Amino acid sequence: MLAKLQRIDINCILIPSSTKTSTSSVVAVSQPPNKPQPIKKLPNGGVKKRLSRVYKKPHEPKTHQKHDLCSTQNGFSKYPDGENNSCSSRVEKKRGSLGGNGVVKKTHAKCSTKWLRYGGFIPAILEALETVADLDEALGPWEKRLGNKERTIVLKEQSSWERALEIFEWFKREGCYELNVIHYNVMLRTLGRARKWSLVESLWNEMGKMNIVPENSTYGTLIDVYSKGGLKDEALCWLEVMAEQGMEPDEVTMGIVVQTHKKAGEFEKAEQFFQKWCLGKSVEDDGETSIQPTSIKINGYAKGHVPLSSYTYNNLIDTYGKARKLKEASETFAQMLKDGVVPNTVTFNTMIHICGNQGRLEEVASLIHKMEELQCSPDARTYSILIAIHAKYDGIEMAANYFKKMKEASLEPDLVGYRTLLHAFSIRLMVGEAEDLIKEFDERGLEIDEFTQSSVTRMYIEAGMLDKSWLWFNRFHLRRNMSSDCYSANIDAFGERGHVLEAQRVFMSCLEDRTPSALEVNVMIKAYGINKEYAKACQLFDSMEKLNVVPDKCSYNTLIHMLASANLPHLAVLYVRKMQEAGFVSDCSPYCAVISSYVKLGQLERAEGVFSEMVGLNVPPDIVVYGVLVNAFADIGSVKQALKYVNAMKEACITMNTVICKSLIKLYTKVGYLKEAEETYKMIRSFESDPDVYSSNCMIDLYSERCMVNQAERIFGYLKRKGHANEFSYAMMLCMYKKLMRFEEGSRIAQKMKELGILSELLSYNHVLWLYASAGRYNEAVRTFKEMIESSIQPDDYTFKPLGVVLTKCGVPEQAVSNLEITRRKNALSGLQAWLFEFKYSGVEVTSQAMTWFLLREPVVGAASVSGVDFQSAVDSSARIPVRGSEDHHSHGGSQFMIQPRDEKSGN
């Protein structure tokens, strides 16, 4: 809109003086150059805009002589009091009153109390203007007494921009009233707030024609109204016009520009502008000057260390706070105190809010103390902020205490404070406190918002008060003005806690009141899914058309992911196809859910079929889909199929990531591809500075199988240094040393496992037993067996093989050992007793403690019972050792790529 205006040169304009011109600003205005400079570039990007009028200020200072400007060609003369005598002789024209009867009283006995602060006859004028439509009659009694000040007040106090403009035009039409820059500023603000931009521009053009020279406050007004009207670029354009006139912003205008940037979220620009202003830099620099944020004191240097006002300090502190720069905000607050500028309640509220939002409760307490020290009384907003802060950080007692103090200070808590505290009570299940506060809501006639309503519903549900939760919901439902968000929140509250019948009742209540939106249906489908009522979820989805509800993308995604997670991919894929037909498939996410579900069920052919269908519909697979399929074929050791998808991924220019690499290294370890595994491990190291324990264990396993001691020890040493070595890392190294008959190193590994408390898996115990039996350390073998029994680790057939070797080496005939095995197979408990007695009488160091403990102990989940032991099937001695980190890195299906020990905790 500024582009429509034309520039003219008015260097020859005479500037009238007036006693009513604004006083000097906090910061002096610099003298303008001799010639106005054109606007070269505007903030909104390369478009050149021209304003219709560029003002040239005179070099000589203004005088403060009273000088009203009147048109001499119309025969008006100037009077010392600033009034024109032609006003008294004009012909009054009646326009009729508001009542339309043409009779209007010119005086009023009673005036509104809201204007009494002005004193004198001003309240009567304002009362007349509010009740009498005709301006001649309304202003007639005071026409000779309306000075500049009175005219300013009259214009400023109008609540309607139309009425203000009518009065302004009346002043101009009468010709006897001086209209100075202050009057124009008031009108620019009034019209700008009403967003009447064409009238604002017309008034700006008129100022030039009337020789009314803009002041700092004029530009500040224009920047402010355009900014608040959502026209940031146009607002900053006025700043450039100001700069072209050689005028620097004063403190007030500077604050307005900072506010403009802050409102737009441009906190860095706000800070830079303030710093440049402090240094006296011209605004024409357009932000190109590089200024370090910490290189300037708050007062600045170019302004002669003139202290800023409290308003400016508050503005800066708030700007830093919104930019989450607590340090800079605190430094500004400290500088404010240093300059002797007393912080007001707004200052403290801002600082408390900033510190509280970042969890700095100690600083909040310090600010409260400083407030008391400076005798700065907290207002309602102070208490509301403190209530919100302490409620957020689990200081509910402090929040309630501040609420109490607020009322004791005769400050009425606002609606936000009430809602904040009620929400805080409800999420903490403080039912009694919440109900007391609800009574206050009702007594004061305060409205409980929908967000708080749903949180109270959840409170009753989680507190087990299902009846109250329904009554609470019904109270708001019966008002017939609940929104979709509120209905869905209540459905979700019941559904998430398994109360699907109550969730259905809420949904049916919604149907009674109005046609539901997709949101309520989606949440109801979710509730059915949580409660595993998948048939009802599908039925509701299929009936959406009958309910006049069109399924949205969320509807499809909710149902598809629910069915896929429930191992029902054959149903999920049907809705994926419907979703595709409806045009809601924008990525491969729904297909990925179905593919993952098929993989989890081991139905890889169907998973590949869905993949092919997806590609055929031009839905590009992402790295997650490829990762699912690569991992699936890695689990079954299918190198060909896994590499097929790896190559397809490369052809699609999708970069390998660590998840794919870990799947491949699992595959290569399973099939024994050392070279490929080494290359993949190097790739993982290029992605991660510290390869994970899973991949490292894979490499240790491959190296130990080939007795490549140095390579295995290097990776094992790396894991130990990083503190990542786990039970399986140690067990594989132990097995390698046993194979090489390096019993000392193996024994040290076994001892270290015991010291670290990581000897816990059955297969690890079996390898330790084999190590001791092979090394002739029979007592250690038997002690390890005893520890194993006491740890509730169930032995298997493979456990008794090294123990048989121990008995044979101690002189027990092989036939006797065979008989022990036969006895154990027939009756696990009797067989275990026989083994323990045989150890005792064969001269091996053992006591009856293990056997006594075994007989008397309480049964444990997954362990042997007194009546018998259900042992696992034997593990072949040639089986590979388990390789596993803390957990498999894939969340979908698949098993570890080697024989795994029984996990007592998981029951696997």
Side-chain angles (χ1 to χ4, degrees), residues 569-570 573 593-604 606-607 610:
H570 61 286
V573 73
V594 176
I595 291 170
S596 298
S597 186
Y598 276 128
V599 166
K600 185 178 178 182
L601 296 174
Q603 299 177 16
L604 300 189
R606 292 190 176 185
V610 174

Side-chain angles (χ1 to χ4, degrees), residues 78 102 615 879:
K78 300 171 187 175
V615 173

Side-chain angles (χ1 to χ4, degrees), residues 473-493:
F473 159 76
N474 214 33
R475 164 181 168 175
F476 292 86
H477 163 64
L478 294 176
R479 295 176 183 175
R480 306 297 180 189
N481 60 356
M482 285 181 73
S483 68
S484 294
D485 288 336
C486 194
Y487 276 116
S488 61
N490 282 271
I491 295 169
D492 198 43

